[in-house]
Amino acid sequence: MGLAGKYQVVKNQGVLEHMTAQGIPAEQAVKFIEGSNNIEITINGDNITIARGDGHNRNYTNNKETTETAPDGNVIKNFSVLNGTTLTVESSHSQGKWKRIYTLSDSGSELTVVSKSGNAGIADGIRIYKKL
């Protein structure tokens, strides 16, 4: 089973706390959590797109750095590595670093996304999705 597909969130573990501990305003974090309950991952060669239900798409290239501009104007640098059914994206901008690890279960029915802060002492945020 491949990582590409459509997913619906079924569980959030510490996501709000994780985001606010990194300095994201609570209102913005809640908006993100409520607006991105569905994602679609498409893979075309080395090009990887993660489309969220709120209309925001992130485009990555396997084993290469890409950049994007956040709504607040910050330029974010992303480095992604696709290894089988695991995608790791390391991101940085002027205010910090973080990592997201997308892992498809052995059965192919569940996707776990772990967000790790680059700052010590901040607990991970975890989202669990079911594959549609």
Side-chain angles (χ1 to χ4, degrees):
M1 293 242 152
L3 189 61
K6 294 181 181 182
Y7 300 89
Q8 180 179 38
V9 74
V10 293
K11 188 174 186 179
N12 286 299
Q13 294 174 239
V15 176
L16 179 61
E17 297 84 355
H18 174 76
M19 293 177 77
T20 56
Q22 294 193 120
I24 297 171
E27 292 173 4
Q28 186 179 345
V30 168
K31 187 177 177 181
F32 167 82
I33 292 168
E34 291 176 350
S36 60
N37 288 322
N38 294 314
I39 62 172
E40 182 174 4
I41 300 173
T42 55
I43 301 170
N44 184 7
D46 284 339
N47 298 312
I48 304 155
T49 300
I50 299 177
R52 296 192 331 220
D54 62 2
H56 183 79
N57 296 343
R58 289 214 161 115
N59 298 300
Y60 307 108
T61 303
N62 191 32
N63 290 311
K64 290 190 179 175
E65 184 176 90
T66 57
T67 59
E68 66 178 296
T69 303
D72 63 3
N74 270 316
V75 174
I76 301 171
K77 294 181 180 182
N78 299 301
F79 188 84
S80 62
V81 176
L82 179 61
N83 185 7
T85 57
T86 299
L87 171 66
T88 302
V89 180
E90 295 187 41
S91 301
S92 64
H93 63 60
S94 61
Q95 298 174 354
K97 295 180 180 185
W98 66 100
K99 180 190 299 189
R100 277 126 21 248
I101 304 166
Y102 298 76
T103 306
L104 189 63
S105 64
D106 289 340
S107 69
S109 63
E110 186 175 274
L111 177 71
T112 301
V113 181
V114 179
S115 182
K116 297 180 168 289
S117 175
N119 300 323
I122 296 179
D124 296 345
I126 301 170
R127 297 192 98 188
I128 300 172
Y129 297 82
K130 69 176 178 178
K131 195 166 192 175
L132 301 175

